[in-house]
Amino acid sequence: MPEKTYEMTAEGKKQLEEELQNLKFVKRPQIVERLKIARSYGDLSENSEYDAAKDEQMRLEERIDAVSEQLKYAVVVDTDAVDPDEVSIGKTVTVTEVGEDEPETYEIVGSSQSDPFHGKVSNESPIGKALLGHKKGETVKINVDSANVSYDVVINDVKTTD
């Protein structure tokens, strides 16, 4: 069975590589030091500092594994190979809901870069999935499963994210 691939922008891959370096070579040694200090307090069975450091170490190792997995199967999307007016990962799209005046702008990114509060939507999100492959001037129906809501948007503009 083929492994899952993680589509992302070149910038997204670079950010993950930097995060992994920080986790391994900054955060991991800090936690090791905290564990060493906590062990020096004696009895580990009632040592809350040791327990907290072990829990943090477990979360850190899980994040290292997750980031490593994403980087191992990363697929960097070449936005230059896509029609300039077509929505794809690495592009910023401005849409207007049919019947509304205020446009909304989204940057389509891979799931590891998603940050909806800053306008970065994942290609795997309902909005991202619906917009992918469509072009400037098209009307797209977006179904938001969790809210049983659908709405039509008109793609006003598509730009490659700088």
Side-chain angles (χ1 to χ4, degrees):
M1 181 163 130
E3 297 292 329
K4 176 181 169 125
T5 59
Y6 298 90
E7 293 182 304
M8 61 186 70
T9 63
E11 178 62 27
K13 184 175 182 187
K14 180 181 175 208
Q15 288 172 350
L16 280 178
E17 289 168 342
E18 290 171 357
E19 179 184 359
L20 186 59
Q21 291 300 307
N22 183 55
L23 293 171
K24 285 182 170 182
F25 301 111
V26 176
K27 298 288 186 184
R28 187 184 269 162
Q30 288 173 348
I31 292 174
V32 168
E33 184 61 27
R34 282 186 49 211
L35 284 166
K36 187 174 157 184
I37 292 168
R39 274 191 210 106
S40 73
Y41 296 150
D43 185 8
L44 298 181
S45 65
E46 295 181 23
N47 188 327
S48 61
E49 289 88 357
Y50 180 78
D51 291 340
K54 286 298 284 180
D55 288 344
E56 189 175 347
Q57 182 184 41
M58 181 185 68
R59 286 189 303 274
L60 174 80
E61 295 303 327
E62 287 172 352
R63 182 63 186 158
I64 287 172
D65 289 345
V67 172
S68 295
E69 173 84 2
Q70 289 175 12
L71 287 170
K72 182 176 180 180
Y73 298 105
V75 175
V76 176
V77 176
D78 180 8
T79 56
D80 293 336
V82 179
D83 181 328
D85 289 331
E86 185 177 322
V87 179
S88 70
I89 292 177
K91 293 200 177 177
T92 299
V93 58
T94 302
V95 299
T96 303
E97 187 174 348
V98 173
E100 298 291 324
D101 294 328
E102 285 296 314
E104 295 183 39
T105 301
Y106 303 109
E107 181 181 349
I108 309 298
V109 296
S111 59
S112 65
Q113 293 175 267
S114 180
D115 185 357
F117 296 109
H118 292 98
K120 293 183 176 192
V121 296
S122 165
N123 62 315
E124 298 175 5
S125 71
I127 292 172
K129 277 185 195 176
L131 293 173
L132 284 175
H134 288 281
K135 295 183 179 183
K136 183 176 176 177
E138 292 183 359
T139 299
V140 179
K141 180 177 280 306
I142 299 175
N143 294 309
V144 182
D145 297 331
S146 63
N148 290 323
V149 172
S150 74
Y151 55 99
D152 295 330
V153 296
V154 176
I155 299 175
N156 303 328
D157 198 15
V158 179
K159 295 179 182 170
T160 300
T161 304
D162 297 323

